[in-house]
Amino acid sequence: MNDLIVNVQISDAMFFSKVEGYGSMIDDLSDFKHSFVGGKIYGLIGECGSGGWGLSSMLCGKDSARGCSVMVNGIQVSMSKMKEWGWYVGEGMEQSGRFYKEKSVIKQIRSGLKVTEKCDEDEIIKLFGLSDRQLGSKLSKLSFERWVASVAIGYAYDFRICFITLFSL
């Protein structure tokens, strides 16, 4: 996956996106075609409802819509496959069984490392400069520090595609 190339082609799509902490909205995207190359940072800039939320939700496997085609390294992929690779920064992996239970940052990192065996937790703590307070907290209780903690969780799960939603004031 080091040479990840994601080709997106959308002829006419209507997304009904739900963004955590913000709500639901209709997002309309037409005539969009782009190749995203691994290791690069892209920004989606546009008015509310112009397709950015829908596109980012689709690329991390949260939403799908008709009229969309996603190819990864030349192979068409499903939304469930995209969900294995991507996540939204600022969100965590809180689901626990049938009931919603938010886990601390360190528990989420440990859960990811059980799946991927990517490295040990001390490496992630050092790499992202996580404090004991961040590690023991739930993401919803962190302010600006939530973004770094969330990226550390995604790193532990070995996610490759991530999105951060920024709102203009």
Side-chain angles (χ1 to χ4, degrees), residues 41-117:
I41 297 171
Y42 297 90
L44 303 173
I45 301 169
E47 296 295 321
C48 222
S50 65
W53 279 356
L55 178 62
S56 60
S57 291
M58 182 186 74
L59 288 176
C60 64
K62 292 177 78 159
D63 289 320
S64 61
R66 286 190 205 165
C68 302
S69 169
V70 178
M71 308 273 289
V72 176
N73 294 346
I75 300 167
Q76 186 153 356
V77 295
S78 66
M79 290 302 104
S80 61
K81 184 52 97 174
M82 294 304 293
K83 194 170 193 161
E84 291 176 20
W85 293 334
W87 93 108
Y88 261 89
V89 175
E91 296 180 3
M93 304 295 291
E94 294 99 6
Q95 288 303 109
S96 179
R98 290 186 354 213
F99 302 102
Y100 175 83
K101 182 178 182 202
E102 188 176 8
K103 298 178 188 177
S104 68
V105 170
I106 191 63
K107 285 183 180 177
Q108 291 185 63
I109 289 171
R110 287 176 181 154
S111 293
L113 292 175
K114 281 182 190 173
V115 174
T116 63
E117 299 179 352

Side-chain angles (χ1 to χ4, degrees), residues 13-169:
M14 182 85 55
F15 297 95
F16 298 93
S17 302
K18 185 170 185 171
V19 177
E20 187 176 318
Y22 188 77
S24 299
M25 69 171 294
I26 297 173
D27 220 7
D28 186 25
L29 187 60
S30 300
D31 300 322
F32 179 85
K33 184 177 182 180
H34 191 76
S35 294
F36 297 94
V37 179
K40 300 206 181 277
I41 297 171
Y42 297 90
L44 303 173
I45 301 169
E47 296 295 321
C48 222
S50 65
W53 279 356
L55 178 62
S56 60
S57 291
M58 182 186 74
L59 288 176
C60 64
K62 292 177 78 159
D63 289 320
S64 61
R66 286 190 205 165
C68 302
S69 169
V70 178
M71 308 273 289
V72 176
N73 294 346
I75 300 167
Q76 186 153 356
V77 295
S78 66
M79 290 302 104
S80 61
K81 184 52 97 174
M82 294 304 293
K83 194 170 193 161
E84 291 176 20
W85 293 334
W87 93 108
Y88 261 89
V89 175
E91 296 180 3
M93 304 295 291
E94 294 99 6
Q95 288 303 109
S96 179
R98 290 186 354 213
F99 302 102
Y100 175 83
K101 182 178 182 202
E102 188 176 8
K103 298 178 188 177
S104 68
V105 170
I106 191 63
K107 285 183 180 177
Q108 291 185 63
I109 289 171
R110 287 176 181 154
S111 293
L113 292 175
K114 281 182 190 173
V115 174
T116 63
E117 299 179 352
K118 181 178 184 121
C119 58
D120 66 37
E121 67 185 67
D122 291 333
E123 287 180 60
I124 292 179
I125 291 167
K126 185 177 179 183
L127 180 65
F128 291 94
L130 300 171
S131 68
D132 289 339
R133 190 179 74 71
Q134 283 174 294
L135 292 168
S137 297
K138 298 173 180 176
L139 280 177
S140 65
K141 303 299 180 197
L142 297 173
S143 58
F144 183 75
E145 301 160 314
R146 125 187 283 187
W147 306 112
V148 174
S150 180
V151 172
I153 293 165
Y155 183 81
Y157 276 89
D158 204 24
F159 288 134
R160 304 298 176 100
I161 302 169
C162 70
F163 290 93
I164 183 169
T165 301
L166 298 175
F167 303 102
S168 60
L169 301 176

